[in-house]
Amino acid sequence: KLAGVVLMAIEIAWFIALPVGKECLLWWRSRQRIGLGMQTVRAVLLLALLIAALFVPWQSRVRAPGVLMAVAETTIYPAAPAMIVSVAVSPGQRVRQGDKLFQLASPDIDSALRRIGERIAGIRWQLEHMTASNSELLSARVLSRRLGEALAEKRGLEAKQRRQIILAPFAGTLRELDDGLVPGRWYDAATPLALLVDESSTMIEVYVSETELQRIAVGGRAEFYLEDFATGPIMARIATIDPLPTGHLDHPELASVHGGPIAVREGAGGRFQPDQAIYRLRLQLDRNRPAPAQIRRGMAFIDGERASLADRLWRQVVAVMLAESGF
């Protein structure tokens, strides 16, 4: 990588900087022969405008792709491999916190509870029928310790069994119920059952590059525009900024492989990893609005410190060089 950076620097110097320098030197040496005609004036003015466009900090907004989504949403999974006993909800149904959603059953947990119950009963029987002789006092202490361990194991199994009744963690609307969610079907702990979304409030998550991060701060104003321009600008402010770069993109809608604006590569587990360092920002809306039926893609324009094109290009070049060199 270091050799690549060195070669890139040599190419820039030889093919860009050197020819431009030679041309400028030729103009300077020929300055006596160049008159101040209209053509020269136009060329000078055009050059001045180009220099101003590059070096004057006229850009005060930071572009940040992102999504409009519900504040609270969670994917519901079984606590352990289990069979569906009953389904108490339907797609699109509104539920309250604590409402029953699914009843599951796990023969493994039931069998383990029966075994631990029998072991507890056996230990208690031994303790009840022990004599008070010195020889059995040591055995009693051992059995008491085993009884405590067995009771703790039983409490853990009972907690797992209670989790077979899945309740709504918050009020919301059920979406994306699995089509095969019928009694008698088995699910493992990694298979989602449904998506629960609180539609009462909305937030915006956007991503900014590392080079633009220092231009913005918590509390900064932002305007978010949906990709299809279905509504006008959504006014918001920066609520939080992640302190570390995003390891993987949480929203596939923004990935370049799905037509999104963020360049990614597929990593372990099928997750999308950004090609360059990006940071996640959460924006709080000035006025609350109902959550969309599905995540909506868009672009945020965030007020930040003014920066010139030359400054942004230089920071981008430095960031690429550091990334490629492995420093």
Side-chain angles (χ1 to χ4, degrees):
K1 288 187 176 181
L2 183 59
V5 173
V6 172
L7 290 174
M8 181 186 70
I10 293 174
E11 289 180 357
I12 292 176
W14 183 262
F15 293 107
I16 299 177
L18 186 59
V20 171
K22 288 182 177 179
E23 187 69 20
C24 292
L25 182 61
L26 179 61
W27 285 9
W28 177 255
R29 289 174 177 174
S30 305
R31 65 186 183 277
Q32 299 297 334
R33 299 195 305 270
I34 300 176
L36 292 178
M38 288 301 298
Q39 187 174 0
T40 303
V41 172
R42 284 196 297 267
V44 171
L45 289 176
L46 180 59
L47 180 61
L49 288 174
L50 289 175
I51 292 175
L54 281 174
F55 293 97
V56 173
W58 56 273
Q59 290 190 327
S60 62
R61 290 195 138 191
V62 175
R63 290 167 55 93
V67 294
L68 180 73
M69 57 183 290
V71 170
E73 66 176 41
T74 184
T75 303
I76 298 172
Y77 295 89
M83 181 184 69
I84 300 294
V85 175
S86 63
V87 179
V89 291
S90 57
Q93 180 176 334
R94 179 79 180 172
V95 296
R96 295 172 297 180
Q97 183 177 3
D99 283 355
K100 180 179 177 180
L101 305 179
F102 310 105
Q103 171 73 58
L104 310 180
S106 175
D108 291 341
I109 295 178
D110 296 339
S111 176
L113 277 171
R114 284 194 299 270
R115 289 195 301 270
I116 198 67
E118 293 171 357
R119 195 198 321 171
I120 291 172
I123 295 173
R124 283 175 172 167
W125 186 90
Q126 293 180 62
L127 288 171
E128 290 172 359
H129 291 79
M130 276 188 170
T131 63
S133 64
N134 291 334
S135 61
E136 292 189 345
L137 288 177
L138 181 59
S139 298
R141 286 195 291 269
V142 173
L143 289 174
S144 297
R145 188 185 73 248
R146 291 178 179 174
L147 178 61
E149 293 172 351
L151 289 172
E153 184 179 349
K154 182 183 179 183
R155 287 193 294 270
L157 290 170
E158 287 173 342
K160 286 185 177 181
Q161 190 178 52
R162 286 192 296 271
R163 289 200 296 271
Q164 300 304 306
I165 302 176
I166 299 180
L167 306 178
F170 53 82
T173 302
L174 280 164
R175 299 179 183 168
E176 300 181 12
L177 265 70
D178 187 76
D179 294 335
L181 201 60
V182 293
R185 181 171 178 180
W186 281 84
Y187 282 82
D188 59 32
T191 303
L193 301 176
L195 177 67
L196 179 63
V197 178
D198 180 6
E199 297 179 331
S200 62
S201 55
T202 307
M203 72 172 182
I204 299 170
E205 284 190 356
V206 300
Y207 296 87
V208 298
S209 65
E210 188 175 22
T211 56
E212 302 284 13
L213 185 64
Q214 65 178 5
R215 297 178 54 201
I216 58 178
V218 172
R221 305 299 305 171
E223 295 180 2
F224 186 79
Y225 293 85
L226 295 175
E227 189 176 51
D228 56 4
F229 296 98
T231 63
I234 301 173
M235 308 305 296
R237 64 178 180 85
I238 301 176
T240 61
I241 301 175
D242 285 359
L244 297 175
T246 299
H248 60 270
L249 197 60
D250 290 332
H251 305 292
E253 299 87 354
L254 298 175
S256 55
V257 296
H258 292 157
I262 298 178
V264 298
R265 60 184 182 277
E266 190 168 351
R271 290 186 167 185
F272 296 120
Q273 298 177 349
D275 286 346
Q276 297 182 1
I278 58 174
Y279 291 77
R280 180 175 60 182
L281 282 63
R282 289 184 173 88
L283 308 183
Q284 181 179 349
L285 277 65
D286 288 352
R287 294 183 179 180
N288 191 30
R289 54 186 290 161
Q294 58 185 1
I295 292 177
R296 304 285 297 278
R297 192 165 63 184
M299 183 69 67
F301 296 86
I302 305 171
D303 291 342
E305 294 182 2
R306 293 183 176 274
S308 65
L309 285 175
D311 179 60
R312 293 177 59 193
L313 289 172
W314 170 249
R315 293 181 186 278
Q316 186 69 24
V317 169
V318 171
V320 171
M321 291 180 66
L322 291 176
E324 290 300 321
S325 63
F327 295 152

